[in-house]
Amino acid sequence: YFIQSNLRVMLINITGAPTLTPDVRIILRTEFRVYDGLIAAVYWLCLLVGLPGNCFSLAYFLQTRKRNLSTMLYIITCVIDILCSTIQIPVAYTLLNNRIPGLFFRISSLCSAWHFTALLLQQMIMYVTMLLALSRTIVILFPFCTVRRNWVLYSVGGNLAYHVVWNVAYYVRATTYYSKATALCTVYESDLLSLLYNINYNICTMVPPIIILVSIVASITNLRGKGHTASMASKKKCRHSSMTIVYFSLIFLISNSFSFINNSLYILTLRKYDTYPGPIYDNNFMFFYSWQFSFVFCTVLNSAMNPPLYFWRMKQTRTWFKGIWWWRRGREGGEISLHETNLDKTIIENNHVTAM
């Protein structure tokens, strides 16, 4: 679609007719340079917050003795978020360089590898977040129902294999190139496989947010009811854990809302106008930034917002961090006090994830 659109723009400019598609050269205007700079600044901020924050969160979840379903899904989420925090580095550099691609985007094989990885991370984080929200909702609505951890983890592995097979089959036939209009590596293919792939992509990126939204509404509605028979302490702990997952899912929905909207508009454009960009994407902002936000920005922003949530909602995370802080201070000072040693020992022995 992008290749056809660019050819159409060239032919229209030659004939002198009104341009239907924004000219890529206007991206050098001051207003767009400011937009690119702001987006790049947010990318670097997400890197500074998301990378160390998710590494710390991963270390915390790995050292806990509990290995229930929520802990395992949090571990998988942290691994994905670490990769999401770094996947935007070539994009941020390009935006600050007048959208002139760096070495990473100039090499076709690296460009394909980047697009493949970014697409896979987006699909996986949506699926894992859906599982986390759905499994907690099932536990809330049906307290005596057991969600089999291994089955859920097998489904994560199956989902990963499914997307890898789909992406490999698509990328073998597709052409990958750098698009200055989006400042991203883009894949182009016009055969039947491309149509089936786009249908699959839209299903996999639009169905999970709907399920997450329904899960959030069902969880909040049930938690505000009065039908619980458990003890007060158990009820309070369950409510806190459930609300943590609700907040986690809600942040995901807010961060990825533009991705859902953009995919819907893209389907509407192809369905109603049978061409791209059509009247919706003829708008300068939509043409230059819609895919930037929906494909990269939403995923990166979500990965950077998760560590502060862990630190805020999980008390043991803060306690574990304080234990490490005091232990390091004792090491740097040449001695460790008895109080600090006991604190560290207590954390190791009694540590558990309060958000389960």
Side-chain angles (χ1 to χ4, degrees), residues 232-252:
M232 184 62 66
S234 177
K235 178 180 177 180
K236 184 177 180 181
K237 182 178 178 181
C238 178
R239 178 183 176 85
H240 182 87
S241 304
S242 300
M243 287 306 299
T244 299
I245 295 180
V246 168
Y247 288 142
F248 179 86
S249 304
L250 192 60
I251 288 176
F252 171 84

Side-chain angles (χ1 to χ4, degrees), residues 158-311:
N159 184 71
L160 175 62
Y162 174 79
H163 288 303
V164 168
V165 171
W166 256 110
N167 292 349
V168 169
Y170 180 60
Y171 278 80
V172 167
R173 298 175 56 87
T175 301
T176 306
Y177 66 97
Y178 170 76
S179 171
K180 191 172 184 178
T182 60
L184 301 172
C185 288
T186 305
V187 177
Y188 173 76
E189 181 58 48
S190 60
D191 61 2
L192 178 61
L193 179 62
S194 176
L195 175 62
L196 296 176
Y197 181 84
N198 284 324
I199 294 175
N200 173 76
Y201 172 78
N202 287 303
I203 292 175
C204 293
T205 55
M206 296 183 69
V207 172
I210 296 175
I211 296 178
I212 292 172
L213 178 60
V214 173
S215 299
I216 290 176
V217 173
S219 298
I220 294 177
T221 302
N222 187 270
L223 289 173
R224 295 183 64 179
K226 298 182 179 180
H228 301 282
T229 58
S231 64
M232 184 62 66
S234 177
K235 178 180 177 180
K236 184 177 180 181
K237 182 178 178 181
C238 178
R239 178 183 176 85
H240 182 87
S241 304
S242 300
M243 287 306 299
T244 299
I245 295 180
V246 168
Y247 288 142
F248 179 86
S249 304
L250 192 60
I251 288 176
F252 171 84
L253 281 180
I254 295 174
S255 302
N256 290 272
S257 58
F258 192 87
S259 178
F260 181 88
I261 295 173
N262 190 58
N263 286 338
S264 302
L265 292 176
Y266 180 70
I267 294 175
L268 176 64
T269 298
L270 296 183
R271 178 75 175 177
K272 187 174 182 179
Y273 305 104
D274 197 31
T275 184
Y276 181 89
I280 296 177
Y281 290 92
D282 272 342
N283 177 274
N284 287 339
F285 176 83
M286 292 296 293
F287 188 73
F288 292 130
Y289 295 103
S290 61
W291 296 107
Q292 181 73 227
F293 275 88
S294 66
F295 188 59
V296 182
F297 188 87
C298 291
T299 305
V300 173
L301 181 64
N302 182 69
S303 67
M305 295 175 69
N306 286 335
L309 175 65
Y310 301 145
F311 196 79

Side-chain angles (χ1 to χ4, degrees), residues 7 20 94 132 197:
L7 290 175
L20 299 179
T94 302
L132 189 60
Y197 181 84

Side-chain angles (χ1 to χ4, degrees), residues 99-139:
R99 299 208 174 192
I100 300 175
L103 179 63
F104 201 91
F105 280 174
R106 289 180 181 177
I107 302 176
S108 178
S109 58
L110 293 179
C111 197
S112 299
W114 179 90
H115 194 276
F116 179 92
T117 305
L119 193 65
L120 186 62
L121 291 175
Q122 183 191 44
Q123 294 166 332
M124 288 302 300
I125 192 61
M126 287 187 175
Y127 185 76
V128 174
T129 304
M130 180 192 71
L131 290 179
L132 189 60
L134 187 59
S135 61
R136 175 54 63 171
T137 302
I138 293 175
V139 171

